Amino acid sequence: AKVNTKDAVISRPPDKTVQFEISEPAQDSTVTKNTVTIKGKAAKDALLVVQSPAGNKIQTLDKDEFSVDFPVAVGENIINVRS
């Protein structure tokens, strides 16, 4: 599964910017299961959106860290994660 997190930044008014970060999996990782766990950090109460041809998941974060199990298909998967 390939995770695309380029230019992922969320803003918090008026002058604070919170960085959005994916800690797992590493870019261009290979997995042997039908799911991948995506972990990272974003602002509490942010809306997390995970999308790929294999599925979509949307959730509101109740803390500043997240962990999402996400389906992957056989072959290359490009997974877009944003907040």
Side-chain angles (χ1 to χ4, degrees):
K2 185 182 283 187
V3 179
N4 178 359
T5 60
K6 219 175 193 181
D7 302 324
V9 176
I10 55 174
S11 295
R12 202 186 261 171
D15 60 347
K16 293 183 180 179
T17 299
V18 178
Q19 205 57 39
F20 173 73
E21 173 185 305
I22 301 292
S23 57
E24 291 180 32
Q27 185 78 8
D28 298 324
S29 295
T30 300
V31 296
T32 57
K33 298 185 276 183
N34 61 356
T35 62
V36 63
T37 300
I38 302 169
K39 294 182 180 182
K41 293 183 179 184
K44 181 182 176 191
D45 298 324
L47 187 65
L48 180 72
V49 179
V50 185
Q51 297 176 304
S52 82
N56 297 303
K57 188 164 195 169
I58 300 172
Q59 69 183 56
T60 301
L61 302 179
D62 58 359
K63 54 187 174 182
D64 65 355
E65 296 181 340
F66 61 87
S67 179
V68 176
D69 291 324
F70 194 74
V72 292
V74 174
E76 182 177 23
N77 291 255
I78 297 176
I79 302 171
N80 292 298
V81 182
R82 61 182 177 264
S83 177

